Amino acid sequence: MESSDKRGRAYLLVGAIVQVALAVGLAPSAGAQQWVASWGSSLQGLSPEEATVTNATVRLMARSTVAGDRVRVRLENTYGSEPLTVGAAAVGLQNNGPSLVAGSSRGLRFGGSGSVTIPAGEYVLSDPVDLAVGAGQGLAVSLHVPGANLRSSMHRTALATSYLTEAGAGDHTGNVDGEPYTETTPWMHWLSAIEVFSSSARGAIVAFGDSITDGSCATPDGHDTWPDILYTRLLHAAGTARLGVVNAGIGGNTVIRVPPVTSTPGVERMDRDVLALAGVTHVVVYLGTNDLRRQATAEQVIAGLDEVVGRARARGLKVAAATIIARNPTPRGLPPELGFGPEQNARRHAVNEWIRNNDDLHAVLDFDAVMKDAGDPNLINPIYDCDGIHPNVFGYAAMGGSIDLAVFDEELQASAP
């Protein structure tokens, strides 16, 4: 059992009571409220040895997908071998680059303390702070890490530019103008979830998958993965953010443990990355292509997917599964062994038929039908193809645009209390 799947302590003491008023997209101040997962990033391993942090501050950028008036964050030491000390932490509204909206910075506390030590393999949830957040608002979470030569538990394909001070710069968590943040990073360090206390949101969707969910070939800072496209459509359809959308994709991820293991498989990280998040109502599963590439049988993949579906349903979640899109036999710019031949395609079609005919699913998202070439179902349509394995941004738009929003009607039609 992986210690990263254990639930960290959830500290729920109220922090300093201050609030910034935003003009657009805020949750109503009156009425029943609930904590809802508003953003997430599934951590996948340790940062490289050449990318360590020494007595520096990292400012990590995320986008809230629901509106609310209080915020809490989850920090992880999932892959660390030693306890991690965070000397200070803060959250604020992003202005431009590393700068914050004036007056929006809030110091974070953990069980009432301004610092926290996270044991190896564990995670912690901050105390809530009062902060008015709009749907689509950029948030900045700043962490002062006083230790030396620390490798971070991180997510590699964050598709968001975050910032660091130089080594030895110390605590700049409360900085507003962003000037101390002289370096950039494309990775997400230690931050894995943001939850918002909302009266407008009716739940959250977790997109649980591999690189095609994570967004390989999508645009950094562009918000154009298929979960992003789905979120934008849901927001416009309801006129407000009824559902948060959390991207829990990891490049190269598998549903079961198939060597070579490059990230914690779906069945093992599901508790941490889906079930532990607040307010989740739906999970969309897109996994299996990397298992098949590593020679897992269709029966093994189906068994893994069936376990994921069953565990989500047991928690009362509505589960949709996406069919596995084609892989061209010879990818471009990638190792040739990553492509699919006839045997792997036969297994892929068997898994997809199981998905299409699975009565335990709330919905089927037939991404394979959307993405396949009209003349050959084992090739990606060239207009949607980035590299023979991943969609390009037009492919992601087609995938996100193909999802029937009626799948989420109950939550979209729910009126605010």
Side-chain angles (χ1 to χ4, degrees):
M1 179 182 297
E2 302 236 354
S3 60
S4 62
D5 289 333
K6 297 178 181 177
R7 178 78 172 169
R9 293 183 180 179
Y11 301 113
L12 301 177
L13 300 177
V14 179
I17 303 176
V18 281
Q19 186 171 8
V20 170
L22 294 177
V24 181
L26 297 185
S29 59
Q33 293 181 289
Q34 64 171 330
W35 285 104
V36 176
S38 183
W39 173 90
S41 183
S42 296
L43 304 189
Q44 63 191 107
L46 282 174
S47 60
E49 292 184 0
E50 65 272 17
T52 60
V53 177
T54 296
N55 188 23
T57 305
V58 294
R59 179 159 284 177
L60 306 164
M61 298 304 180
R63 182 176 72 151
S64 178
T65 57
V66 299
D69 55 21
R70 297 164 78 194
V71 174
R72 63 191 185 191
V73 308
R74 189 172 81 178
L75 306 179
E76 294 192 25
N77 189 23
T78 313
Y79 298 99
S81 59
E82 302 291 338
L84 167 72
T85 295
V86 177
V91 61
L93 306 180
Q94 183 183 16
N95 181 15
N96 184 39
S99 69
L100 307 180
V101 174
S104 71
S105 182
R106 306 287 188 270
L108 291 170
R109 304 186 76 80
F110 302 84
S113 174
S115 64
V116 65
T117 297
I118 310 171
E122 299 291 342
Y123 63 85
V124 296
L125 197 63
S126 75
D127 303 345
V129 292
D130 287 5
L131 180 65
V133 176
Q137 171 70 54
L139 295 175
V141 176
S142 304
L143 308 175
H144 171 227
V145 182
N149 300 315
L150 295 175
R151 297 172 68 187
S152 69
S153 294
M154 49 81 75
H155 182 86
R156 184 175 296 275
T157 312
L159 292 176
T161 302
S162 292
Y163 303 87
L164 303 91
T165 65
E166 62 182 15
D171 180 9
H172 290 279
T173 55
N175 171 269
V176 174
D177 62 23
E179 290 186 2
Y181 294 92
T182 56
E183 301 177 23
T184 62
T185 174
W187 303 331
M188 190 58 58
H189 305 268
W190 294 297
L191 177 66
S192 65
I194 296 175
E195 297 176 347
V196 171
F197 200 56
S198 177
S199 60
S200 57
R202 291 292 162 270
I205 304 163
V206 178
F208 190 52
D210 51 42
S211 59
I212 293 172
T213 296
D214 196 15
S216 291
C217 294
T219 311
D221 302 310
H223 304 300
D224 52 12
T225 67
W226 72 257
D228 289 316
I229 302 302
L230 172 61
Y231 170 68
T232 300
R233 294 181 62 219
L234 290 168
L235 185 65
H236 290 167
T240 189
R242 295 280 188 232
L243 287 167
V245 176
V246 173
N247 190 326
I250 294 177
N253 202 224
T254 55
V255 65
I256 59 175
R257 185 167 284 270
V258 186
V261 178
T262 57
S263 59
T264 306
V267 293
E268 297 177 29
R269 69 183 180 94
M270 185 178 179
D271 285 349
R272 181 193 73 192
D273 291 347
V274 180
L275 302 181
L277 298 175
V280 174
T281 52
H282 299 75
V283 59
V284 178
V285 182
Y286 184 104
L287 285 167
T289 186
N290 293 309
D291 304 72
L292 297 175
R293 197 267 297 174
R294 297 172 191 178
Q295 305 308 318
T297 67
E299 291 75 17
Q300 289 173 319
V301 174
I302 288 168
L305 292 173
D306 193 48
E307 178 180 342
V308 169
V309 172
R311 287 167 60 191
R313 281 169 52 88
R315 290 287 295 270
L317 305 186
K318 297 175 181 177
V319 189
T323 53
I324 301 170
I325 70 170
R327 282 190 185 220
N328 293 357
T330 306
R332 297 184 305 282
L334 296 170
E337 64 269 18
L338 297 184
F340 273 9
E343 182 180 345
Q344 289 157 319
N345 274 313
R347 286 184 262 138
R348 179 175 70 88
H349 291 307
V351 174
N352 284 349
E353 284 308 300
W354 176 83
I355 292 171
R356 292 184 181 110
N357 295 287
N358 191 335
D359 293 335
D360 288 334
L361 295 172
H362 180 64
V364 173
L365 310 185
D366 202 346
F367 287 166
D368 179 40
V370 173
M371 294 296 295
K372 68 183 180 182
D373 180 72
D376 187 340
N378 292 322
L379 298 177
I380 301 174
N381 186 329
I383 66 172
Y384 295 149
D385 180 22
C386 173
D387 55 15
I389 292 178
H390 303 100
N392 58 24
V393 293
F394 305 107
Y396 286 131
M399 291 164 66
S402 72
I403 299 170
D404 185 356
L405 298 188
V407 171
F408 313 102
D409 262 357
E410 183 178 342
E411 288 73 22
L412 292 180
Q413 301 303 321
S415 59

